[in-house]
Amino acid sequence: MLMNTHEARLDALRKQLAKDGLDGFVIPISDEHMSEYVGAYAQRLGWLTGFGGSAGTAVVLADKAAIFVDGRYTLQVREQVDGRLYDYEAVPQTSVAAWLGENAPHGSRIGYDGWLHGRGWVQATERALAARGATPVPVKANPVDAVWADRPAPSAAIAVPHADAFAGQSVAEKRGAVAEWLAVRGLDAAVISALDSVAWLLNIRGSDVDSTPVALSYVIAHADGTADLFIASEKVTPDLVAHLGNAVRVAPRDAFVPALQALAGKQVAVDPDRAVAAIFATLEQAGATTVALTDPTVLPKAQKNPVEQAGHRAAQARDGAAVSRFLHWLEVTAPHGGQTELSAAAALLAEREKTGALRDLSFDTISAAGPNGASPHYKVDEQSNRLIEPGSVYLVDSGGQYLDGTTDITRTVWVGPGTPPAEVKDRFTRVLKGHIALAQAVFPQGTSGAQLDSFARQFLWAAGLDYAHGTGHGVGSFLSVHEGPQRIAKSRGGQAGTEQELLAGMILSNEPGYYKAGEYGIRIENLVLVEDRRIAGAEGAFLGFETLTFVPIDRTLVDTALLTPAEREWWNGYHAQVQAIVGPQLDGADLAWLTEACAPL
């Protein structure tokens, strides 16, 4: 029987926990690869609670439950998750481990799925529970799956080769680099379990996860340059086998655990930030020695080679024309009323599809009218769909997946008629000033994203304002729109990515924002490429950013009195580039609109 209410699902899970001899269970948004975006089969938290965000965790005890989200989802979680069933907990102000340390019954057994959590999480939870005489218990079968009767099966879509013409480097070259990395460290093998790492290393792509072109699979890379790919047999084609070559052995996905066990006596590199706890446990129980090291593909993947950089520029130019056509459409139609968040998202998708090159969206479009824009990661559906009202702020954050690049852009616009309130213009201009400051930043080699974050926040801070999300995330090359290890964000106790040195070739977003609950949201986002910056007389190596995204920014929302001459110069220079790059792709009324939008301040 289907359980159609979240209360019924929670009750069924509690009964299953009692049957399994557990006093509680932890349910993250995760899969066996610690992915940010997961396939439908792994959406356990959404099924159980109704939460639709991309990051969050629930803890279910016999008499209470809580859901943990960060600042991006403060509003969304309250709209989607029943507060009668779950307490709302904010991360990083608290954590699952800390909450369990205060709420788990003394002597209790708290279950977790070792294929959905990292080893560090397990260790932190063990320490927190020890103070209460409680124990974390790795389950053999996930109890959510036992009560989720209509749980979807994992995708059976085929894996496809990603041509060297887009990758810029062959599979053999990448395997050789990993083999050299292993040899230098005296290691026998490396487990590559992150889906985008597997995709990058073997130049394969798939469609197993919405918006991220990856195939569910694992790789064990060996010091002799060979590799084993573990992937469901229905996903393998003769083209894929030919592409991989003789040095890559292909085995069924369920052969992965026996292959780990066969590494007994070997020195094996495993990334604690990207490999689940069960991989460490399987290796160590078999007698292998695990060496905790960052996945050797992570930095090479993040530092785009010249072919990938050129591909990104082409994808951004194509995407910029599509978004510009959409913004013209919006400016013409929205002031008359009748458009909604869903109709606008559909119109934007249609413009991207007109390119003939779109493979997928890079994430679900954030189409947010008025107060919905105050939720940074708002996701529109039929229930939340809101009219885009004349005389209001509309925010659209979107991106496309193309063979030559992944895009991500946010624009905030004023929907006429009338003029924006002074407060809205002030907030928008402070966000713009922060965006410009980061875009123009020049910094010495060795600088981390955390050290640059305040460049974007300073003008908001001066007015006693801030935003509760990072300023920039890494972006892949026809891969994940959120790619590590680089990140621009406040440093919070070594939070992943914030201490990573920015290196030439990395692509990041530049996206400061401001959000007023119940009223509106503002964000301006372009992608930028870290590049070498030559400075006459410089004492050392310096870096800066090349802007990659070219779409007009809404001048209606700008309080020009707040801009310095240098900021006006940036604005005019940026829009001259928009005209030069996007203009040749437009004609007629679209071109006329662009020309007006790009006129100097």
Side-chain angles (χ1 to χ4, degrees), residues 211-229:
S211 304
T212 308
V214 292
L216 294 171
S217 53
Y218 299 96
V219 163
I220 298 176
H222 300 277
D224 63 1
T226 65
D228 295 289
L229 170 65

Side-chain angles (χ1 to χ4, degrees), residues 469-508:
H469 59 73
T471 300
H473 56 81
V475 177
S477 184
F478 189 43
L479 273 176
S480 176
V481 75
H482 291 162
E483 179 180 86
Q486 69 274 26
R487 193 164 181 258
I488 301 173
K490 295 177 183 178
S491 178
R492 289 193 175 104
Q495 190 177 18
T498 55
E499 304 306 323
Q500 169 63 46
E501 172 187 354
L502 299 186
L503 301 168
M506 288 179 168
I507 292 176
L508 300 105

Side-chain angles (χ1 to χ4, degrees), residues 40-57:
Y41 80 97
Q43 292 281 1
R44 296 175 178 90
L45 185 67
W47 177 83
L48 181 68
T49 69
F51 179 62
S54 63
T57 302

Side-chain angles (χ1 to χ4, degrees), residues 272-463:
D273 292 327
R274 294 170 180 83
V276 296
I279 290 176
F280 282 92
T282 301
L283 286 165
E284 290 164 0
Q285 289 165 9
T289 300
T290 59
V291 182
L293 292 169
T294 299
D295 173 342
T297 72
V298 165
L299 276 179
K301 172 164 54 69
Q303 291 182 267
K304 308 299 182 283
N305 61 49
V307 169
E308 291 172 318
Q309 292 179 27
H312 262 277
R313 293 187 189 98
Q316 298 290 345
R318 181 188 314 118
D319 197 68
V323 177
S324 295
R325 289 193 300 268
F326 162 76
L327 290 176
H328 175 219
W329 170 87
L330 186 73
E331 183 176 297
V332 170
T333 62
H336 300 293
Q339 296 300 335
T340 69
E341 294 168 337
L342 283 174
S343 70
L348 178 51
L349 173 59
E351 292 296 347
R352 284 194 165 105
E353 288 176 333
K354 287 177 186 176
T355 67
L358 184 71
R359 294 305 178 102
D360 196 355
L361 296 180
S362 56
F363 55 96
D364 290 332
T365 296
I366 300 171
S367 177
N372 286 343
S375 181
H377 276 221
Y378 168 72
K379 182 178 179 181
V380 60
D381 56 29
E382 293 289 350
Q383 286 70 45
S384 68
N385 187 29
R386 186 181 181 90
L387 278 170
I388 300 175
E389 298 178 5
S392 69
V393 177
Y394 171 70
L395 182 154
V396 59
D397 185 349
S398 67
Q401 290 284 11
Y402 304 92
L403 286 174
D404 47 3
T406 299
T407 69
D408 184 1
I409 173 175
T410 306
R411 288 294 182 265
T412 306
V413 300
W414 174 255
V415 178
T419 58
E423 178 192 279
V424 173
K425 293 183 71 170
D426 175 87
R427 304 305 190 253
F428 183 90
T429 308
R430 290 178 186 277
V431 171
L432 173 64
K433 287 165 72 73
H435 179 96
I436 294 171
L438 185 57
Q440 293 186 309
V442 177
F443 45 95
Q445 203 168 74
T447 299
S448 70
Q451 291 171 299
L452 296 182
D453 183 71
S454 59
F455 282 47
R457 298 180 191 266
Q458 58 183 309
F459 304 102
L460 288 165
W461 284 352

Side-chain angles (χ1 to χ4, degrees), residues 5-90:
T5 71
H6 296 112
E7 187 170 10
R9 293 171 184 179
L10 179 59
D11 180 65
L13 177 60
R14 283 185 165 133
K15 289 175 180 174
Q16 183 65 39
L17 296 180
K19 182 179 177 182
D20 294 345
L22 297 172
D23 302 293
F25 190 69
V26 182
I27 307 97
I29 298 175
S30 186
D31 62 9
E32 303 88 342
H33 309 273
M34 293 184 70
S35 307
E36 177 183 16
Y37 299 117
V38 302
Y41 80 97
Q43 292 281 1
R44 296 175 178 90
L45 185 67
W47 177 83
L48 181 68
T49 69
F51 179 62
S54 63
T57 302
V59 180
V60 174
L61 303 178
D63 60 348
K64 66 174 65 176
I67 186 164
F68 300 75
V69 298
D70 62 36
R72 295 171 296 172
Y73 299 110
T74 302
L75 298 178
Q76 182 177 337
V77 72
R78 285 162 173 78
E79 294 168 352
Q80 295 179 331
V81 179
D82 191 337
R84 297 178 302 110
L85 304 178
Y86 297 89
D87 294 334
Y88 306 121
E89 299 291 340

